[in-house]
Amino acid sequence: MSRTWIVIPLYNEAPVIGSVIEELRHTFPHVVCVDDGSTDASANAARAAGAVVVQHPVNLGQGAALQTGFEYVLLDPATTSVVTFDADGQHRVSDAKAMVERVESGEAQVVLGSRFLDNRTHIGRVRRLVLRVAALQARWSTGMRLTDAHNGLRALDRNMVANIYLSQNRMAHASELIQIISVSKPSWTEHPVEIRYTEYSKSKGQSLLNSVNILADLLFR
């Protein structure tokens, strides 16, 4: 029997995390949220929705939250695959399900989401340019022909997760994860996914902030 765990880094997403988890658990009953020092009610909302919550006492960054989540799900001997999923409602459960099916079927050990393999994602010009540059940089540094190197929706088999140790706590973890995958040389593929830039995420300025963070990662890592 296969068992998939969803790992969600969580920081101050109390207004939406409950609905994100409730939608996920119709398909994926095993969800762990790593509350990364939230100052709002995120942890309580996640627990109320049925997720396991592991808490960092202070904010360490998304990379650290993912690493904690990976270590937690590997404690379950029945774990066969792991999905990384954002807390803000931008990912689709249907995309995650399709990606897990490709991992569990043995088609690939790693399935990486890409918003550029179909036309579902509506994205601004500046962010599109930043993400294209990031993908080119990843190709040059790893040899992996990626179209979207900074997509938080990923499905990985247990063996790949066991080989991951993220030392970059903040945005640079995305590039570090791709580097680890390239060195490990698993079978991998990209899968078309939709990123939903919601009014909620826009109100928090996440699109612009993430673009700035990605640029900083490329320039200063």
Side-chain angles (χ1 to χ4, degrees), residues 18-32:
S19 60
V20 170
I21 293 168
E22 288 169 5
E23 183 183 6
L24 272 166
R25 294 189 69 243
H26 288 297
T27 304
F28 300 105
H30 303 288
V31 178
V32 58

Side-chain angles (χ1 to χ4, degrees), residues 126-140:
V126 173
R127 184 163 177 77
R128 181 181 295 272
L129 176 60
V130 169
L131 291 168
R132 292 293 195 189
V133 171
L136 284 173
Q137 191 275 336
R139 289 189 186 193
W140 294 332

Side-chain angles (χ1 to χ4, degrees), residues 13 22 28 77 86 96 98 118 156 169 203 208:
E13 301 285 2
E22 288 169 5
F28 300 105
D86 286 355
D118 62 22
L156 311 97
N169 289 349
S203 71
L208 176 59

Side-chain angles (χ1 to χ4, degrees), residues 84 99 102-103 108-115 117 144-149 151-156 174 177-178 181 187-193:
T84 65
M99 293 165 71
R102 298 181 76 174
V103 171
Q109 294 169 273
V110 175
V111 179
L112 303 172
S114 173
R115 75 202 87 188
L117 293 180
M144 296 173 66
R145 296 185 63 81
L146 296 171
T147 61
D148 192 353
N151 197 308
L153 184 54
R154 316 170 185 92
L156 311 97
L177 181 54
I178 295 299
I181 292 170
S187 56
W188 69 276
T189 189
E190 286 187 306
H191 185 87
V193 303

